[in-house]
Amino acid sequence: MPRTYGTTHSSMAEFNRSRIVQILHTQGTRSRAQLARQLHLTPAAITKITANLIEANIIEETGAIDGLMQRRSIGLQLNNQAWHVIGIKIARSSVTLAIFDVRGQIQHQHTIEHIHESDVQDICQTIKTAVFTMLQNDPSIKAIGIAVPGPYLRNEGRIALATSVSGWQSINFKSEFAQSFPVPTLIEHDARAGAVAQSLFGTFENLPDTSPSTHGSHTIKQANTNYLAYYLLGEGVGLGIISDGILLSGTLGTSTELGHVSIDVHGRPCECGNYGCLETYCSAAAVHQTMMNHSSYFLKHYQVDPQTLTHEQAASWLIAHYPSDDSCITDIMTSAYEAIAYGCVSIINAFNPSIIVLGDTLAQGGDALLSTITHICKQRVLPELWQSTHIVTSHLHVDATLLGAGAIATQELLAHPSSVMQHP
Amino acid sequence: MPRTYGTTHSSMAEFNRSRIVQILHTQGTRSRAQLARQLHLTPAAITKITANLIEANIIEETGAIDGLMQRRSIGLQLNNQAWHVIGIKIARSSVTLAIFDVRGQIQHQHTIEHIHESDVQDICQTIKTAVFTMLQNDPSIKAIGIAVPGPYLRNEGRIALATSVSGWQSINFKSEFAQSFPVPTLIEHDARAGAVAQSLFGTFENLPDTSPSTHGSHTIKQANTNYLAYYLLGEGVGLGIISDGILLSGTLGTSTELGHVSIDVHGRPCECGNYGCLETYCSAAAVHQTMMNHSSYFLKHYQVDPQTLTHEQAASWLIAHYPSDDSCITDIMTSAYEAIAYGCVSIINAFNPSIIVLGDTLAQGGDALLSTITHICKQRVLPELWQSTHIVTSHLHVDATLLGAGAIATQELLAHPSSVMQHP
């Protein structure tokens, strides 16, 4: 059963408003004639809807632009001040709040650090107070997005796998936050929020061609951001998939849990009960663990005590020292990068995205990582599939999960412009 | 960007017609008042749209039914004779054509057998001739669906992996069939077509509770067929996923290729270039290969020569002889069923369906198979996820791929009722 847009005249009007603000958000400035052509609407309908949106300060006229048939016409663009949103990133031991404008630019940022397991209930109160202060100081805030670690049970409102996220499993995010504020509040899993951030705010033009065809010629193909994978390589391993323009969630909101898809059913035991989970090979926590297994070696040769590092610090240290003549570092990082590549092979076969964006700590591996991925994917993926898959590292100006929290709020407003218009 | 229904008044009308026929297809008889409530439309709008559909013989009035507030009202139902569709199943060495009615009941069936690699071009001509004869004899045929083995590159119209499907890789199905007939012709990958068949024609009421909660109590939950996985265990291993009511395809139409998702990255080499592909452990071809590795044993003890069997015959023979005291048979089947179970674990973590339907040859394993799956999933899947996943074997009255071919044609007509109305 398709979605329920467009079943009555008023929802049809909202749907058309939404399509216009989405086009202006993605594609920049457009004339009324261009919009009419693109949306198969009459010029009269476009004039009416855009007048409505201009009056509500959601879109604005620019100067003359080049239009159809060499004629100059007035451009329309999204008003950068149309609204602000709050993005909240919940991490293991910190919470970051930020205010974003329509374009995903940070207006304000605030981090609560050193959160201990026993504090989380108090921290929820601190978050609420901070949000109410922000709402009071900035009436243009129209929606809030919260990104949480996963697997996150969307319907229930809580995190399913307890141990990896310290105290947060005791929180029901839905009952705690979903109805607490006077603006729409959305809660989403971190990697999924990251996928929305990439899709709304990522730029994927002039992509390098990572996949020369088997015939030796190079075919540069345009990435289709309607089929995008965001592959989160942080403390855990996560995945967000946009397929045909829609974020995949699953019946409980726990689909695309790539970190717990096994790459070796007889491999390492994982906290989730499964064996050989991808996460046990290439998360920052996993490489940190391997480093700690060789603590005395790193102390002796590098005067670094892995025990004193966070997962992120350990992974970043290793990445900075690789490629290396040191066979211990080489072993650790080669294995991790190969596991990341096996994850790419699974992503391509399971989800067939046009573009895979690597993000978070391990994505700092850059060229060394990308060349391992290219090497393994060329071996293990059908040529037709590999040739049409772009793999890039994230180029967002801000942490993808934090921007992702803002992005799910932004997406809500783009889908329902009237929620901004009704509260001017 | 959401789908493009409902952008103009005429497409809104078509969308509302489509929603009505879809509800009547899924839910049976409904009164006008019930439809109005369910679709948030006015009684006047419902009266107008249904009059239109009745006039075109797509729906019909039944006797009085129990309506809202104990009042009796006239029921509406889909006219079983509203249209027929043709479903065509392309298999390795055979092609089956069938005519289905609105409810998926076979009206006519015809199989072309013993196809050799060199024949496929001629067979395409034979298929076309057969279809034209069917269209001529039955003017109520309004759409055609073709199910092909995969990975199938939807945009290009051809099968990507050559060797497993003999001569068919030389055929461009799109240029061969998509525009050849006077009615809409849809081409889809076999497991994906099977998923549509399960979603349109499967019945999933009174499901057994395969997932007792960890607390010992049994919670029978309703399956949500908007999140359905069809797990095809035939000559190859395939998967079709319906997520939020929509069939997942991927940018080239090759997503959900579970057969080529590795369960052991250092495992058996696969024709696709990958190692440890699920398909190399639990397809009918894989168990047949293992059986052939012990040919002399089966000849001696059972007077069966595995070399003379087809993959399907070999798999069916083994299934019929298991559970067994014979350790050779036990080893082969235990390994295969465990691999199928590992596939279920990957499906749950990757796609989070509400229901997984096992279909084709290996699904005949019945209780022995289901108990292996239950045992492994209880160990390896997070309890919250396992408790809300139903796993059943297919109960369709006809081969899921053949019915699937009919189902994609049926789905097209349910989505665009005017295509039936315009050609009365």
Side-chain angles (χ1 to χ4, degrees):
Chain A
M1 176 71 52
R3 286 171 168 65
T4 51
Y5 264 124
T7 61
T8 62
H9 292 265
S10 70
S11 74
M12 184 176 79
E14 175 74 342
F15 178 60
N16 285 328
R17 272 194 295 271
S18 165
R19 295 204 304 157
I20 288 171
V21 297
Q22 287 188 52
I23 284 177
L24 297 180
H25 189 268
T26 317
Q27 301 172 16
T29 307
R30 282 285 175 282
S31 71
R32 288 176 177 82
Q34 286 171 325
L35 288 172
R37 231 165 52 145
Q38 209 165 339
L39 297 176
H40 305 288
L41 288 172
T42 60
I46 288 288
T47 301
K48 189 176 158 193
I49 302 167
T50 56
N52 205 229
L53 290 167
I54 289 170
E55 197 188 352
N57 282 322
I58 294 177
I59 67 173
E60 61 191 6
E61 291 189 333
T62 66
I65 58 164
D66 286 332
L68 305 171
M69 294 178 290
Q70 270 81 48
R71 261 186 280 176
R72 305 275 294 166
S73 51
I74 301 292
L76 294 172
Q77 67 186 14
L78 210 55
N79 180 348
N80 273 353
Q81 303 309 316
W83 63 70
H84 284 168
V85 297
I86 296 176
I88 305 174
K89 174 187 175 174
I90 309 277
R92 187 189 172 97
S93 57
S94 69
V95 170
T96 307
L97 299 96
I99 299 176
F100 295 97
D101 71 8
V102 166
R103 298 266 155 226
Q105 298 297 322
I106 288 197
Q107 309 296 306
H108 172 85
Q109 184 170 343
H110 169 58
T111 300
I112 307 164
E113 295 200 81
H114 310 298
I115 297 174
H116 291 286
E117 198 162 330
S118 53
D119 298 343
V120 296
Q121 199 63 57
D122 292 345
I123 295 293
C124 288
Q125 205 44 58
T126 311
I127 293 171
K128 280 186 206 167
T129 309
V131 168
F132 276 114
T133 307
M134 286 169 160
L135 289 168
Q136 205 159 24
N137 294 340
D138 182 351
S140 66
I141 294 169
K142 300 296 182 195
I144 297 166
I146 304 178
V148 302
Y152 174 69
L153 302 163
R154 186 189 46 194
N155 305 341
E156 285 189 48
R158 64 183 186 83
I159 295 166
L161 186 55
T163 41
S164 70
V165 288
S166 62
W168 291 114
Q169 79 278 9
S170 65
I171 301 298
N172 186 310
F173 289 92
K174 205 170 158 184
S175 52
E176 197 71 50
F177 294 110
Q179 304 294 332
S180 301
F181 309 113
V183 297
T185 303
L186 295 299
I187 306 163
E188 190 51 274
H189 172 254
D190 53 8
R192 248 192 281 286
V196 177
Q198 298 292 347
S199 139
L200 282 187
F201 301 115
T203 47
F204 304 108
E205 280 151 28
N206 303 318
L207 290 176
D209 180 26
T210 50
S211 53
S213 88
T214 45
H215 308 296
S217 67
H218 287 242
T219 33
I220 308 281
K221 288 176 190 160
Q222 191 69 33
N224 180 352
T225 53
N226 276 327
Y227 294 91
L228 178 146
Y230 176 62
Y231 187 6
L232 185 153
L233 301 159
E235 208 156 277
V237 169
L239 181 69
I241 292 281
I242 306 224
S243 184
D244 200 12
I246 294 168
L247 185 67
L248 292 192
S249 290
T251 189
L252 303 175
T254 64
S255 75
T256 69
E257 272 296 341
L258 186 76
H260 298 289
V261 170
S262 176
I263 59 167
D264 178 359
V265 293
H266 306 297
R268 300 179 184 170
C270 176
E271 290 175 21
C272 74
N274 203 358
Y275 290 79
C277 288
L278 183 60
E279 183 159 296
T280 64
Y281 297 93
C282 61
S283 63
V287 297
H288 188 199
Q289 184 56 55
T290 318
M291 194 186 186
M292 286 195 288
N293 296 345
H294 300 84
S295 278
S296 54
Y297 179 86
F298 285 99
L299 259 175
K300 180 172 167 200
H301 292 277
Y302 297 94
Q303 293 77 53
V304 168
D305 182 1
Q307 313 284 346
T308 64
L309 303 178
T310 65
H311 297 331
E312 194 186 339
Q313 288 167 338
S316 296
W317 189 95
L318 288 165
I319 290 165
H321 287 76
Y322 179 79
S324 164
D325 292 334
D326 183 317
S327 67
C328 180
I329 294 176
T330 301
D331 284 353
I332 296 174
M333 294 313 289
T334 307
S335 304
Y337 287 176
E338 282 174 358
I340 292 173
Y342 299 141
C344 287
V345 177
S346 291
I347 291 171
I348 295 170
N349 284 318
F351 301 104
N352 182 211
S354 173
I355 182 162
I356 301 177
V357 186
L358 312 172
D360 226 297
T361 313
L362 269 290
Q364 295 164 26
D367 286 347
L369 172 59
L370 286 173
S371 76
T372 305
I373 292 173
T374 301
H375 178 70
I376 286 181
C377 285
K378 276 177 77 171
Q379 263 187 343
R380 295 182 176 230
V381 176
L382 284 174
E384 291 91 340
L385 272 65
W386 172 239
Q387 280 160 37
S388 58
T389 311
H390 298 274
I391 303 192
V392 296
T393 51
S394 174
H395 282 99
L396 296 177
H397 57 286
V398 52
D399 176 88
T401 301
L402 179 61
L403 182 56
I408 57 169
T410 303
Q411 195 178 45
E412 174 72 9
L413 298 178
L414 291 172
H416 302 105
S418 67
S419 62
V420 180
M421 298 165 78
Q422 281 158 11
H423 309 85
Chain B
M1 178 71 51
R3 287 175 169 60
T4 50
Y5 264 124
T7 60
T8 62
H9 292 264
S10 69
S11 72
M12 186 177 76
E14 175 75 341
F15 178 61
N16 285 328
R17 271 194 297 269
S18 165
R19 295 204 302 158
I20 288 172
V21 297
Q22 287 187 52
I23 285 178
L24 297 180
H25 189 268
T26 317
Q27 301 172 16
T29 306
R30 283 285 174 281
S31 70
R32 289 178 178 79
Q34 286 171 326
L35 288 172
R37 229 164 57 142
Q38 209 166 338
L39 297 177
H40 306 287
L41 289 171
T42 60
I46 289 287
T47 301
K48 189 176 157 194
I49 303 167
T50 54
N52 205 228
L53 289 166
I54 290 170
E55 197 189 352
N57 283 321
I58 295 176
I59 68 174
E60 61 191 4
E61 290 189 334
T62 66
I65 57 164
D66 286 334
L68 304 170
M69 296 178 288
Q70 271 79 47
R71 260 185 282 175
R72 305 275 294 164
S73 52
I74 301 293
L76 295 171
Q77 67 184 15
L78 207 57
N79 179 349
N80 272 352
Q81 303 309 316
W83 63 68
H84 284 168
V85 298
I86 296 175
I88 304 173
K89 174 186 176 176
I90 308 278
R92 188 188 172 96
S93 58
S94 69
V95 170
T96 307
L97 298 96
I99 297 176
F100 295 99
D101 72 9
V102 167
R103 298 268 155 226
Q105 297 298 320
I106 288 198
Q107 308 298 305
H108 172 84
Q109 183 170 343
H110 170 56
T111 300
I112 307 164
E113 294 201 83
H114 309 300
I115 297 174
H116 291 285
E117 197 162 328
S118 53
D119 298 342
V120 295
Q121 198 63 57
D122 291 345
I123 296 295
C124 288
Q125 204 46 56
T126 310
I127 293 171
K128 280 185 206 170
T129 308
V131 168
F132 276 114
T133 306
M134 286 170 160
L135 290 169
Q136 204 159 24
N137 294 340
D138 183 351
S140 66
I141 294 169
K142 299 298 181 192
I144 298 165
I146 304 177
V148 301
Y152 174 69
L153 303 163
R154 186 188 46 193
N155 305 341
E156 284 190 50
R158 63 183 185 83
I159 296 166
L161 187 55
T163 43
S164 71
V165 287
S166 62
W168 292 114
Q169 79 278 8
S170 67
I171 300 298
N172 187 309
F173 290 92
K174 206 169 156 184
S175 52
E176 197 69 51
F177 295 110
Q179 305 294 332
S180 302
F181 308 114
V183 297
T185 303
L186 294 298
I187 306 162
E188 190 52 273
H189 172 252
D190 53 9
R192 247 191 282 287
V196 177
Q198 298 292 346
S199 141
L200 281 187
F201 302 114
T203 48
F204 305 108
E205 280 150 28
N206 304 316
L207 289 177
D209 181 25
T210 50
S211 52
S213 86
T214 44
H215 309 295
S217 67
H218 287 242
T219 34
I220 308 279
K221 287 176 189 159
Q222 190 68 32
N224 181 352
T225 53
N226 276 328
Y227 293 91
L228 178 146
Y230 176 62
Y231 188 6
L232 184 154
L233 301 159
E235 207 156 279
V237 169
L239 180 69
I241 292 281
I242 304 218
S243 184
D244 199 13
I246 293 167
L247 185 68
L248 292 192
S249 289
T251 189
L252 303 175
T254 63
S255 74
T256 69
E257 271 297 340
L258 186 76
H260 298 289
V261 169
S262 176
I263 59 167
D264 178 358
V265 293
H266 306 296
R268 298 179 185 171
C270 176
E271 290 175 22
C272 75
N274 203 359
Y275 289 80
C277 288
L278 182 60
E279 183 160 295
T280 63
Y281 298 93
C282 61
S283 62
V287 297
H288 187 199
Q289 184 56 55
T290 319
M291 193 185 186
M292 285 196 287
N293 296 344
H294 300 83
S295 276
S296 53
Y297 179 87
F298 286 97
L299 258 174
K300 182 174 166 198
H301 293 277
Y302 297 94
Q303 293 77 53
V304 167
D305 181 2
Q307 313 285 344
T308 65
L309 303 178
T310 64
H311 297 331
E312 193 184 339
Q313 288 167 337
S316 297
W317 189 94
L318 288 165
I319 290 165
H321 287 76
Y322 179 79
S324 165
D325 292 333
D326 184 317
S327 67
C328 180
I329 294 176
T330 301
D331 284 352
I332 296 174
M333 293 314 288
T334 307
S335 304
Y337 287 176
E338 283 174 1
I340 293 172
Y342 299 141
C344 287
V345 177
S346 291
I347 291 171
I348 295 170
N349 284 317
F351 301 104
N352 181 209
S354 173
I355 182 161
I356 300 177
V357 186
L358 312 171
D360 226 299
T361 313
L362 270 289
Q364 296 164 27
D367 286 347
L369 172 60
L370 286 173
S371 77
T372 305
I373 292 174
T374 302
H375 178 70
I376 285 182
C377 285
K378 276 178 78 171
Q379 264 187 344
R380 296 184 175 228
V381 175
L382 285 174
E384 290 92 338
L385 271 65
W386 174 238
Q387 278 160 41
S388 58
T389 311
H390 299 274
I391 304 193
V392 296
T393 51
S394 174
H395 282 100
L396 296 177
H397 58 286
V398 51
D399 175 87
T401 301
L402 179 61
L403 182 55
I408 56 168
T410 303
Q411 196 178 44
E412 174 73 9
L413 298 178
L414 291 171
H416 302 104
S418 67
S419 63
V420 181
M421 299 163 77
Q422 282 158 9
H423 309 85

